[in-house]
Amino acid sequence: MTDTTPETASDIDPEAFRERALASLTTARDRTTLLTTCVDEPDLTAQHSPLMSPLVWDLAHIGNQEELWLLRAVAGQEAIRPEIDTLYDAFEHPRAERPSLPLLPPAEARAYAAQVRRRVLDVLEGAAFQGTRLTEAGFAFGMVAQHEQQHDETMLITHQLRKGPQALTAPDPMPVALFTGPSEVLVPGGPFTMGTSTEPWALDNERPAHRREIPPFFIDTTPVTNGAYLAFIEDGGYDDPRWWTAEGWAHIRRHSITAPLFWRRDGGQWLRRRFGVTEAVPPDEPVLHVCWYEADAYARWAGRRLPTEAEWEKAARYDPATGGSMRYPWGDADPGP
């Protein structure tokens, strides 16, 4: 069974795919550039946590994967830097050992990624968007753009773990308290088409579309706020095993977890560290940096539970008016700026 997504390869002309691919690649690269130019070279080459790669590894890895898939696999070009393939193979080297590798220094990594991108844009200009799974509807271009955005998320985590002065700024998120609708909604039971068989840039773990029968359920309309989570803390949630699974209780005791990561109590006030800035925990923002065990314990304490993957997707995509699955919670139109 397929979904009701209107956008398929036959619905969009090659120029539309070309524009979409260019916009996606450009947006991702602009974000990568921001995340790798806002700090000095020592911060780019340092490992800020054994869980994360040096930022300069991510930068060259992004370029290497783009070369492998778009220049070599799609365009059939010869390798630019074949000797670095193993250095930037994520399966070959765990993150903890990557700082010891002979990585490209920042200037060379930037030059390499830029060289690859210039050639990729030439390939994109003449791409036919048909013939193979990689070229059909520009799939490989979308996959590479998604891959870069995924590493941008990884680099954001590294920035949060990094010690030192502030390097990133961003507007404050909209407080949840500004939402004035109902606190929860009922999602009707019945069949639901999960996944996709028609979205041209969907990855393999999003395919194929398949029918799921989901019983009716209620779901909150907004994320849990810091203020609501603070009530759980103040009620002794981290000291009461009733709210935790056996594995979760063992996890928080083993790691001495008593609050979300990056939070600390200062007298009667809770503070958090956000990209190098220490500030009071804003009560109306969504709570961040809790693991699954903590989210599950909070839900039990609040008399709730966490949604399943199928429930989460149905709540986000199901259109009760048509019975179909939308591309986004608001409909099928792409998001604006």
Side-chain angles (χ1 to χ4, degrees):
M1 178 176 180
T2 59
D3 65 14
T4 58
T5 303
E7 186 176 25
T8 64
S10 60
D11 296 328
I12 298 183
D13 62 71
E15 287 310 309
F17 277 125
R18 207 178 321 277
E19 291 178 9
R20 182 181 178 188
L22 177 61
S24 299
L25 290 168
T26 302
T27 298
R29 185 53 49 88
D30 288 345
R31 197 175 185 204
T32 298
T33 301
L34 169 66
L35 294 172
T36 55
T37 57
C38 63
V39 291
D40 295 331
E41 183 166 322
D43 274 331
L44 288 176
T45 57
Q47 185 173 48
H48 299 284
S49 165
L51 299 175
M52 311 304 294
S53 307
L55 291 168
V56 74
W57 185 92
D58 288 288
L59 175 59
H61 169 77
I62 286 168
N64 184 246
Q65 289 296 297
E66 188 165 329
E67 182 194 351
L68 286 170
W69 287 103
L70 297 184
L71 297 186
R72 300 187 206 175
V74 170
Q77 296 183 11
E78 292 187 6
I80 298 175
R81 298 285 298 268
E83 76 280 3
I84 69 172
D85 287 353
T86 57
L87 291 177
Y88 298 102
D89 186 335
F91 297 102
E92 285 286 330
H93 304 287
R95 288 176 176 174
E97 70 176 39
R98 289 172 189 170
S100 64
L101 300 174
L103 303 178
L104 300 182
E108 196 171 345
R110 287 195 184 97
Y112 169 63
Q115 180 185 16
V116 171
R117 176 54 58 90
R118 287 193 296 271
R119 294 192 184 189
V120 162
L121 295 183
D122 289 339
V123 172
L124 176 62
E125 186 65 28
F129 302 118
Q130 60 185 358
T132 70
R133 178 68 186 92
L134 286 178
T135 56
E136 187 69 38
F139 172 79
F141 293 94
M143 178 185 68
V144 165
Q146 289 181 51
H147 172 264
E148 183 163 352
Q149 290 282 19
Q150 289 163 5
H151 275 272
D152 290 339
E153 294 296 322
T154 301
M155 289 192 284
L156 269 178
I157 297 170
T158 302
H159 273 283
Q160 174 64 12
L161 292 167
R162 166 186 162 271
K163 301 294 193 298
Q166 181 180 16
L168 294 173
T169 59
D172 292 331
M174 183 178 73
V176 173
L178 292 181
F179 179 77
T180 58
S183 61
E184 65 178 12
V185 292
L186 173 65
V187 179
F192 162 62
T193 302
M194 187 172 177
T196 182
S197 294
T198 59
E199 195 67 32
W201 289 2
L203 301 181
D204 54 355
N205 59 359
E206 300 170 298
R207 298 172 179 271
H210 56 285
R211 184 185 181 95
R212 294 290 300 273
E213 285 284 340
I214 309 295
F217 62 97
F218 284 92
I219 190 168
D220 289 350
T221 53
T222 61
V224 174
T225 63
N226 290 326
Y229 198 84
L230 271 170
F232 168 65
I233 297 174
E234 300 296 347
D235 195 44
Y238 279 87
D239 300 312
D240 193 336
R242 287 183 300 163
W243 312 124
W244 302 82
T245 63
E247 296 86 354
W249 183 250
H251 174 76
I252 66 161
R253 307 310 278 184
R254 182 168 60 251
H255 297 286
S256 300
I257 298 171
T258 59
L261 191 61
F262 309 115
W263 286 28
R264 64 178 175 86
R265 190 193 291 272
D266 182 19
Q269 185 181 33
W270 280 95
L271 304 176
R272 73 174 181 185
R273 181 169 60 83
R274 180 174 181 260
F275 294 122
V277 176
T278 298
E279 59 190 8
V281 171
D284 292 331
E285 288 186 10
V287 66
L288 303 175
H289 303 125
V290 294
C291 69
W292 187 92
Y293 294 132
E294 292 168 286
D296 178 64
Y298 170 85
R300 293 169 188 264
W301 172 83
R304 316 285 280 179
R305 66 171 175 83
L306 299 179
T308 66
E309 180 184 1
E311 288 172 336
W312 183 260
E313 184 169 334
K314 182 170 184 179
R317 298 185 62 209
Y318 180 69
D319 182 0
T322 65
S325 295
M326 303 180 293
R327 296 181 70 206
Y328 305 102
W330 58 81
D332 294 326
D334 285 331

